[in-house]
């Protein structure tokens, strides 16, 4: 039955971890409610004023709402990972209960979907913008080596930037010097596209200035070594 399927869903969610409490037709905060208990709660004059309004608020036709309260803020650290893990639990539940479907809603789900879309698009962005930059540099300087060196410099800058960020925010290496770093669990996904754009812009800017100065001194008649030294 649908009630048994929902009770099974509650049990799966409760055992998945990081769930503080739940509220729905088959679960009251920390206590599961089987079918006989639910019928008794609805029939008893003592409990009907409490259980009845809860059913009215959480059941509409063939749909039922289950409130899940996590052990951490719903949009805080770990929320997106919990959403992804819980969606896997829902898929297993749907496979075990054919004909029923469950989905997550709320700010954490939207944040998880946005994070997945943003981070998933970063590879496309990098492998589209870097070849375009290389083509422009090749057309400007007429050299095949300069664009390759520029691409290496850009990826090195990104690797060094994010590598240092991981050391600072995701490891305890600097907690002795900066104790206020201890509560941090990493960088939020919104930082990735912003930092990537800034790092590419700065790396491209300074690299083009450097190469342009070297080319300028070379055209003035200086040797390769002297042009590089002065540039």
């Amino acid at each position: 039955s649908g009630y048994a399927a929902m009770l099974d869903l509650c049990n799966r969610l409760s055992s998945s971890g990081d769930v503080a409490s739940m509220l729905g037709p088959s679960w009251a905060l920390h206590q599961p409610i089987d079918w006989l208990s639910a019928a008794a709660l609805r029939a008893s004059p003592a409990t009907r004023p409490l259980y009845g309004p809860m059913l009215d608020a959480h059941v509409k036709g063939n749909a039922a709402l289950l409130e899940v309260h996590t052990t951490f803020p719903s949009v805080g650290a770990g929320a997106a990972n919990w959403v992804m893990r819980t969606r896997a639990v829902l898929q297993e539940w749907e496979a075990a209960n054919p004909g029923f479907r469950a989905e997550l809603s709320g700010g954490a789900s939207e944040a998880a979907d946005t994070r997945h879309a943003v981070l998933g698009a970063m590879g496309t962005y990098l492998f589209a913008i870097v070849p375009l930059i290389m083509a422009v540099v090749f057309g400007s300087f007429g050299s095949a080596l300069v664009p390759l060196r520029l691409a290496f410099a850009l990826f090195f800058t990104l690797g060094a930037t994010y590598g240092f960020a991981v050391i600072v925010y995701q490891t305890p290496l600097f907690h002795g010097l900066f104790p206020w770093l201890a509560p941090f669990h990493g960088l939020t996904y919104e930082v990735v596209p912003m930092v990537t754009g800034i790092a590419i812009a700065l790396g491209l800017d300074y690299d083009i200035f450097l190469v342009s100065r070297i080319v300028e001194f070379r055209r003035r008649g200086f040797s390769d070594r002297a042009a590089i030294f002065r540039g």
Side-chain angles (χ1 to χ4, degrees):
S1 67
Y3 193 91
M6 188 168 188
L7 185 58
D8 178 40
L9 174 61
C10 292
N11 289 323
R12 291 172 182 265
L13 291 175
S14 179
S15 60
S16 65
D18 296 323
V19 175
S21 62
M22 293 182 290
L23 182 62
S26 58
W27 202 278
L29 298 181
H30 307 284
Q31 181 66 37
I33 304 174
D34 57 30
W35 172 252
L36 292 179
S37 299
L41 289 172
R42 192 169 187 180
S44 173
T47 56
R48 188 186 306 124
L50 295 176
Y51 191 67
M54 191 276 294
L55 284 180
D56 295 337
H58 290 75
V59 178
K60 183 177 181 180
N62 294 327
L65 171 67
L66 177 65
E67 298 180 38
V68 181
H69 311 129
T70 57
T71 57
F72 49 82
S74 61
V75 292
N81 292 334
W82 181 86
V83 168
M84 296 302 182
R85 189 171 70 248
T86 303
R87 283 176 175 172
V89 174
L90 297 184
Q91 290 178 354
E92 295 176 358
W93 174 81
E94 290 177 350
N97 297 272
F100 296 97
R101 185 173 64 88
E103 63 180 30
L104 285 173
S105 62
S109 299
E110 295 175 1
D113 293 335
T114 304
R115 185 186 73 167
H116 179 74
V118 169
L119 297 183
M122 290 308 300
T124 304
Y125 167 75
L126 287 175
F127 286 103
I129 197 67
V130 172
L132 179 60
I133 293 174
M134 292 175 65
V136 172
V137 172
F138 175 78
S140 301
F141 294 97
S143 171
L145 184 60
V146 172
L148 293 176
R149 192 196 67 81
L150 176 61
F152 172 79
L154 292 179
F155 282 112
F156 178 81
T157 301
L158 291 174
T161 300
Y162 288 118
F164 186 71
V166 168
I167 293 175
V168 172
Y169 293 105
Q170 296 183 214
T171 67
L173 295 179
F174 289 95
H175 290 181
L177 293 175
F178 309 104
W180 49 268
L181 288 174
F184 284 86
H185 299 276
L187 297 175
T188 181
Y189 69 90
E190 293 96 340
V191 173
V192 176
M194 292 187 291
V195 171
T196 300
I198 293 173
I200 289 179
L202 290 177
L204 178 64
D205 187 40
Y206 287 111
D207 202 81
I208 293 298
F209 280 155
L210 175 62
V211 174
S212 298
R213 290 289 291 171
I214 294 173
V215 171
E216 180 181 344
F217 282 113
R218 187 67 182 86
R219 288 175 176 174
R220 291 182 183 180
F222 290 90
S223 64
D224 292 342
R225 182 182 294 272
I228 294 173
F229 179 78
R230 291 175 178 271

